[in-house]
């Protein structure tokens, strides 16, 4: 019998809920992907590069033009200068970058701090490397970090802290106070940071994105990960990237080369061209999604769900305690089966299940999709 390296980890919740949505012909507001296309000019550029011979292996770290564009972007957005040759690596999705960064620093017995609800790949990646995940639970509706608990959790075995802002699934964003607290926690300690910033362009109202790249002292020990899938509505293309200082990146690359070696070539050329020609796309992404968030909030105001507006990502949490006492996994399944709208139960993102009745809806959808879903949800 094969020994399971990830005991207790079954099929991930996104696959489970999307399958259920399909079986019951439900509107899928569960899995985080848009039901609209990415920019036409970008898609045409992929076709162009496929037709024009960009079809062989890309360099290990990524197509140089794309790495230069990424370096230019982080300089203009976060005033952070990176060397595109030694500090930027293009990866098959942010997912692979997260795996490589965790593998680069975590040795057996090392501890890694994550903030729950946390994205579902972090812990398995730590486990596969023999590390131990220490969970700090944050709770609905504010998800504020108890920094005293972080202080109490840090010890000599703490090797890595994983940050995710804007955060999936809570739809919250870090504040300057969080950054200051983080700085204080790690001062004088040999701790690395992994900052998952795949929603870096999707933030609302008067919030802004606090990339770790804005802070030279924090960037000096950080792997910062982003995803073109989220930015260009192309989650199926699987193109992301990581930025880290040279010595960290050397170790990252050592791992990346034996897993994927390189990332799709034509997509990289197309994204580089598009980044160079249309920077307004990512600059306007927050406004684009804020309209969708506001539409969804508006439509749902007639329902018995309670919604506190998310400040970033394309997810909105909803408290259903006025509708049902069921645990969220049962409620989400029933919502899909009986009311034909699929959502994600938030408790699955916690090591210690919280006492809350909250599900996550994805609003990266056409207005008509959101309207059709809300029409069903207001009846509950
Ligand atoms: C917080 C977070 N990190 C990473 C990813 C993975 O990004 P990618 O699709 O580029 O692998 C996702 C996708 O949903 C996410 O929500």
């Amino acid at each position: 019998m094969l020994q399971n390296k990830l005991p207790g980890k079954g099929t991930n919740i996104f696959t489970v809920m999307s399958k259920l949505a399909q079986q019951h012909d439900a509107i899928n507001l569960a899995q985080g992907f848009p039901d609209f296309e990415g920019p036409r000019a970008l898609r045409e550029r992929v076709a162009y590069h496929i037709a024009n011979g960009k079809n062989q292996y890309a360099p290990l770290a990524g197509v140089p033009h794309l790495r230069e564009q990424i370096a230019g972007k982080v300089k203009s957005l976060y005033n952070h200068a990176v060397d595109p040759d030694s500090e930027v690596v293009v990866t098959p999705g942010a997912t692979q970058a997260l795996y490589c960064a965790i593998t680069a620093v975590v040795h057996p017995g090392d501890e890694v701090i994550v903030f729950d609800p946390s994205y579902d790949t972090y812990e398995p990646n730590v486990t596969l490397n023999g590390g131990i995940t220490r969970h700090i639970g944050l709770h609905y509706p504010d998800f504020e970090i108890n920094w005293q608990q972080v202080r109490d959790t840090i010890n000599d075995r703490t090797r890595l802290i994983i940050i995710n802002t804007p955060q999936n699934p809570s739809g919250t964003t870090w504040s300057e106070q969080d950054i200051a607290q983080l700085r204080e926690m790690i001062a004088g300690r040999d701790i690395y940071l992994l900052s998952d910033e795949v929603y870096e362009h999707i933030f609302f109202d008067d919030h802004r994105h606090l990339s770790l790249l804005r802070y030279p002292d924090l960037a000096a020990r950080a792997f910062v990960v982003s995803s073109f899938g989220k930015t260009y509505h192309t989650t199926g293309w699987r193109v992301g990237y990581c930025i880290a200082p040279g010595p960290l990146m050397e170790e990252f690359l050592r791992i990346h080369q034996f897993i994927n070696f390189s990332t799709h070539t034509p997509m990289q050329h197309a994204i580089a061209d598009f980044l160079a020609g249309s920077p307004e796309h990512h600059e306007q992404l927050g406004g684009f999604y804020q309209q969708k968030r506001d539409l969804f909030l508006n439509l749902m105001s007639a329902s018995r769900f309670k919604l506190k507006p998310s400040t970033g990502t394309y997810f909105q949490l909803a408290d259903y305690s006025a509708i049902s006492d069921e645990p969220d996994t049962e409620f989400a399944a029933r919502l899909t089966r009986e009311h034909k709208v699929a959502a994600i139960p938030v408790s699955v993102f916690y090591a210690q299940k919280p006492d809350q009745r909250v599900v996550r809806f994805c609003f990266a959808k056409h207005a008509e999709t959101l309207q059709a879903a809300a029409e069903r949800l207001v009846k509950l």
Side-chain angles (χ1 to χ4, degrees):
M1 274 292 276
L2 262 184
Q3 206 186 336
N4 187 341
K5 286 193 179 178
L6 293 172
K9 297 282 177 202
T11 307
N12 78 46
I13 190 69
F14 311 112
T15 308
V16 170
M17 292 312 301
S18 283
K19 198 168 158 196
L20 200 66
Q22 219 170 15
Q23 271 169 6
H24 294 277
D25 202 17
I27 299 173
N28 189 355
L29 302 191
Q31 200 169 4
F33 61 85
D35 69 349
F36 41 85
E37 294 293 350
R40 178 178 293 279
L42 172 62
R43 288 180 283 132
E44 285 175 355
R45 217 55 205 154
V46 174
Y48 170 85
H49 285 299
I50 289 175
N52 286 279
K54 296 287 193 284
N55 298 306
Q56 306 309 328
Y57 291 124
L60 176 62
V63 163
H65 184 206
L66 180 54
R67 284 186 275 125
E68 282 156 21
Q69 288 302 319
I70 293 169
K73 186 179 87 158
V74 303
K75 176 70 183 150
S76 78
L77 282 177
Y78 308 126
N79 194 26
H80 181 74
V82 288
D83 176 0
D85 290 332
S86 61
E87 299 181 319
V88 181
V89 173
V90 182
T91 57
T95 304
Q96 198 252 13
L98 294 169
Y99 178 78
C100 290
I102 291 169
T103 305
V105 296
V106 176
H107 290 257
D110 285 347
E111 293 188 7
V112 178
I113 293 182
V114 302
F115 298 97
D116 286 358
S118 57
Y119 189 58
D120 69 338
T121 63
Y122 306 154
E123 179 160 35
N125 290 353
V126 173
T127 308
L128 286 172
N129 284 289
I132 297 152
T133 308
R134 304 288 307 270
H135 297 263
I136 308 281
L138 317 182
H139 295 110
Y140 182 87
D142 296 324
F143 296 94
E144 262 165 32
I145 298 174
N146 176 345
W147 285 102
Q148 185 56 46
Q149 194 188 348
V150 179
R151 192 189 306 278
D152 295 343
T153 307
I154 289 177
N155 64 71
D156 290 343
R157 290 186 304 276
T158 309
R159 179 67 51 237
L160 181 69
I161 300 179
I162 303 181
I163 292 153
N164 172 214
T165 183
Q167 211 248 12
N168 173 17
S170 67
T172 57
T173 42
W174 270 40
S175 65
E176 287 286 2
Q177 288 91 310
D178 291 318
I179 297 284
Q181 289 281 357
L182 175 70
R183 175 175 290 123
E184 201 186 312
M185 294 300 133
I186 60 177
R189 288 189 174 271
D190 191 14
I191 294 177
Y192 295 96
L193 303 170
L194 170 54
S195 190
D196 179 346
E197 302 184 10
V198 300
Y199 300 102
E200 66 178 318
H201 305 299
I202 312 176
F203 50 87
F204 312 129
D205 309 316
D206 53 354
H207 295 271
R208 63 184 195 135
H209 173 54
L210 300 187
S211 173
L212 288 197
L213 298 175
R214 290 180 187 272
Y215 311 93
D217 58 325
L218 300 179
R221 46 165 110 190
F223 296 88
V224 175
V225 170
S226 191
S227 167
F228 290 115
K230 305 293 177 190
T231 302
Y232 293 138
H233 321 309
T234 53
T235 57
W237 287 8
R238 317 300 302 123
V239 187
Y241 62 89
C242 180
I243 292 177
L248 271 61
M249 205 45 122
E250 262 177 46
E251 204 49 44
F252 180 103
L253 266 179
R254 223 186 302 282
I255 293 148
H256 170 77
Q257 71 179 329
F258 294 122
I259 299 176
N260 276 85
F261 179 68
S262 63
T263 305
H264 301 225
T265 306
M267 265 75 165
Q268 291 193 63
H269 284 282
I271 292 171
D273 294 347
F274 193 75
L275 258 173
S278 308
E280 72 284 354
H281 174 90
H282 62 260
E283 287 160 10
Q284 292 164 3
L285 202 58
F288 171 81
Y289 276 120
Q290 185 165 326
Q291 274 187 0
K292 295 199 175 291
R293 180 203 65 171
D294 290 347
L295 172 67
F296 189 60
L297 288 173
N298 219 344
L299 293 165
M300 291 290 282
S301 63
S303 79
R304 288 198 293 158
F305 288 90
K306 269 192 291 199
L307 283 71
K308 182 173 179 209
S310 62
T311 58
T313 74
Y314 46 50
F315 303 112
Q316 176 60 54
L317 296 188
D319 176 331
Y320 62 87
S321 56
I323 299 169
S324 164
D325 277 343
E326 287 162 289
D328 60 0
T329 43
E330 286 172 30
F331 179 75
R334 193 166 65 78
L335 198 63
T336 311
R337 280 195 318 268
E338 294 177 12
H339 301 279
K340 311 289 181 207
V341 180
I344 294 284
V346 173
S347 68
V348 301
F349 300 99
Y350 286 87
Q352 279 219 308
K353 306 295 170 217
D355 184 21
Q356 61 189 28
R357 304 276 175 273
V358 182
V359 289
R360 188 199 79 176
F361 293 109
C362 171
F363 57 78
K365 307 290 168 190
H366 283 296
E368 302 79 61
T369 313
L370 296 174
Q371 268 150 0
E375 262 169 39
R376 297 173 188 187
L377 295 170
V378 296
K379 293 191 185 131
L380 267 83

